[in-house]
Amino acid sequence: MSDEVVMSLLTRALQSGDEYLAAAVHPAVLPTQRQSLEKLLFATSRGKRQLAAAPYAPASLLEALASDDDPKVRIRVARNPSTPARALGRLAGGDASTALLSAIAAHKNAEPAILAVMQGMESPDIRAALCGNPKTPLKTLRALLPAATLAERKILAGNPNADAAMLRDLWDSGDIYVRAEVAAHPAAGPGLMDEAKRSLDPLVRRMLAANPAVTQDTLVALLSDPEAAVRAAAVRHLAPDDHAPERLASDPSSTVRRAEARHFTLPASAAARLAGDRDHWVRRWLARNPGTPDFVLRRLASDPESEVRRGVGRNRSCAVDLLRELAQDPVPWVRAGVALREDAPVDILHRLGEQSDIDVISAVGRNARTPPSILERIVRHENADVRRAVILNKRAPRSALEAVLEDPYPLNRALLARHPSLSFADLETMLRDPEPQVRFTAADALVKRPRPN
């Protein structure tokens, strides 16, 4: 950003009284200049409360609002996912209510040191938040365990900071649902995983099969589990050498066959069998699998289900000649899938860009490979969603975007303000937009973009 741009925005915000411009420029100015902006932004209780909850509120403003006298403002700051750690520390150090502390205890940006001092609090909401926060240190989690309810133990068992010793305590003192969470935890260790494998409850065995640290030997053993959900979970994590494709491709459960159709090392014989599966979801997953052999994809390209054919068109392994066939499919949704591919030949994009179906031309408009001449035509479409497709195309040149600088739909203008192809002059023009969110987005983009030489 340039000092000239910042000072221009600061002056414009103060002279016009525009709160949205003031919010956008607040992080970029000096502390003394922020005070002037805060007089404008914090003039009313209603305005402060709205700003404290706004998802677009910059961290600098949330820090300032963390010291506000209004408890409704502070609680909204604590619940705002963008609130930085320093502001949360300030909130926790003041006269904090249980609701405020609960929000801090659950916040993803809360520092471990802040969370550690809350461990002795009696509030169920605070305890539950601490149990589930991945920032809560292990020492604090252990301190919460002795008095934890079953519901809290289940949350503790899913915390990534839990270690093997703590998970053992949870397994020994928990119900089926706690044990299921323990079985899924990467830190469970061989002993607990072996007990989970022998569990009589299918939920525990299914969660074990989904554990990223489970051994391949265990997964192979779970392939013979009587419960289809367990077998399907095991299939998803099987390594190539431990695969049993012929048996799995003929499994009586469609859930297992669907998982098999997604496996990244599916042999040709199993793929051929699954291509004729009666369950269309099996064929859909197979059509999207980049490991599916070419001869199977060609068979699926003629499938009676349009979603299967679309899957083939979206598959990165689909051959160009097959793409050309699918680009002429009678169902527009299939053709739209082809139009989204950035490796689609330009002549296909030209042909699809001339069609009338909204899904098809929107897909062409989103495609980064679409030539500017086509984008310039699509962006003038009467449908706002079609025009937005071009706006969301990060490779769209300014020549294609000029037509939507004054788009009648405010959301399109707000999204347009983020586009890298707009000039500084374009963004400065958008500062006068009647829609507040457009003005904020344009100002924010000006602040964050380097000024060209």
Side-chain angles (χ1 to χ4, degrees):
M1 75 186 145
S2 101
D3 292 340
E4 180 186 347
V5 171
V6 171
M7 291 308 300
S8 174
L9 284 172
L10 175 63
T11 301
R12 184 191 290 266
L14 294 175
Q15 289 180 349
S16 65
D18 191 323
E19 298 174 5
Y20 288 83
L21 295 185
V25 77
H26 187 274
V29 299
L30 298 173
T32 53
Q33 296 167 328
R34 288 181 179 179
Q35 292 175 7
S36 300
L37 293 171
E38 288 165 14
K39 288 180 182 178
L40 169 62
L41 291 164
F42 303 162
T44 65
S45 296
R46 180 172 177 271
K48 288 189 293 185
R49 292 173 188 175
Q50 287 180 335
L51 192 57
Y56 59 82
S60 61
L61 273 176
L62 294 171
E63 281 194 46
L65 288 168
S67 301
D68 196 84
D69 294 334
D70 186 345
K72 292 183 178 180
V73 171
R74 296 198 302 275
I75 188 68
R76 293 187 182 196
V77 172
R79 291 172 177 165
N80 193 316
S82 299
T83 299
R86 187 163 61 178
L88 293 171
R90 187 176 303 161
L91 289 166
D95 183 17
S97 65
T98 298
L100 181 62
L101 289 173
S102 296
I104 296 170
H107 205 288
K108 64 181 177 65
N109 292 334
E111 294 289 350
I114 297 175
L115 300 175
V117 300
M118 298 185 187
Q119 66 189 40
M121 296 180 178
E122 299 296 327
S123 165
D125 291 338
I126 294 175
R127 289 177 57 86
L130 290 173
C131 289
N133 196 325
K135 290 282 191 71
T136 303
L138 176 59
K139 184 177 180 180
T140 302
L141 296 177
R142 286 176 173 160
L144 292 165
L145 180 56
T149 64
L150 278 176
E152 290 170 349
R153 287 170 188 267
K154 181 176 182 293
I155 301 171
L156 282 169
N159 194 300
N161 292 329
D163 64 0
M166 182 176 169
L167 291 169
R168 165 54 69 183
D169 290 340
L170 287 163
W171 177 272
D172 291 340
S173 62
D175 61 5
I176 290 298
Y177 300 102
V178 174
R179 290 187 170 193
E181 292 295 329
V182 172
H185 203 293
L192 278 174
M193 290 188 189
D194 193 52
E195 290 184 50
K197 184 174 68 173
R198 298 194 304 271
S199 172
L200 298 178
D201 194 283
L203 174 62
V204 174
R205 302 195 304 274
R206 176 169 62 82
M207 295 291 276
L208 172 66
N211 190 322
V214 72
T215 66
Q216 290 296 306
D217 287 344
T218 297
L219 290 175
V220 170
L222 292 174
L223 289 178
S224 301
D225 196 279
E227 290 288 332
V230 178
R231 300 197 303 276
V235 169
R236 295 187 189 105
H237 296 90
L238 273 176
D241 295 341
D242 294 318
H243 215 196
E246 299 302 334
R247 174 159 59 91
L248 295 170
S250 303
D251 193 281
S253 170
S254 61
T255 303
V256 177
R257 300 197 306 275
R258 290 175 188 179
E260 176 64 6
R262 300 170 67 178
H263 202 276
F264 58 94
T265 59
L266 190 63
S269 57
R273 180 187 294 271
L274 292 168
D277 199 282
R278 63 185 179 277
D279 183 274
H280 71 92
W281 273 103
V282 171
R283 305 195 307 277
R284 286 171 71 170
W285 284 119
L286 184 65
R288 285 180 170 266
N289 189 335
T292 299
D294 178 74
F295 79 94
V296 175
L297 289 178
R298 293 180 183 279
R299 175 180 173 183
L300 294 171
S302 301
D303 195 276
E305 285 283 340
S306 62
E307 285 289 353
V308 176
R309 302 196 303 275
R310 177 179 166 88
V312 176
R314 297 293 291 131
N315 193 318
R316 66 172 183 264
S317 298
C318 182
V320 173
D321 67 305
L322 198 53
L323 277 182
R324 293 188 185 281
E325 290 182 22
L326 291 166
Q328 301 178 59
D329 194 277
V331 177
W333 189 235
V334 177
R335 303 197 300 274
V338 175
L340 284 170
R341 294 182 61 112
E342 294 191 7
D343 60 348
V346 174
D347 65 289
I348 291 180
L349 295 177
H350 270 284
R351 187 162 61 250
L352 294 175
E354 295 173 351
Q355 298 184 6
S356 59
D357 184 83
I358 288 175
D359 288 328
V360 175
I361 55 177
S362 292
V364 175
R366 283 290 297 268
N367 196 319
R369 197 176 184 183
T370 301
S373 59
I374 301 176
L375 295 177
E376 289 168 13
R377 176 166 45 81
I378 293 176
V379 82
R380 288 177 166 78
H381 198 278
E382 61 181 11
N383 185 284
D385 293 337
V386 174
R387 300 194 301 273
R388 190 180 313 123
V390 179
I391 291 170
L392 293 173
N393 186 337
K394 294 302 180 186
R395 297 285 296 276
R398 187 190 176 280
S399 60
L401 301 173
E402 187 174 6
V404 283
L405 284 170
E406 297 182 4
D407 193 280
Y409 194 46
L411 174 61
N412 282 0
R413 301 197 305 275
L415 292 171
L416 178 63
R418 294 288 185 198
H419 202 286
S421 294
L422 290 191
S423 67
F424 269 78
D426 293 330
L427 292 172
E428 288 169 349
T429 298
M430 298 179 88
L431 296 176
R432 297 188 290 273
D433 195 280
E435 180 64 30
Q437 189 60 39
V438 177
R439 299 197 302 275
F440 173 86
T441 309
D444 188 56
L446 279 169
V447 166
K448 292 177 178 177
R449 269 169 76 177
R451 184 97 180 179
N453 294 328

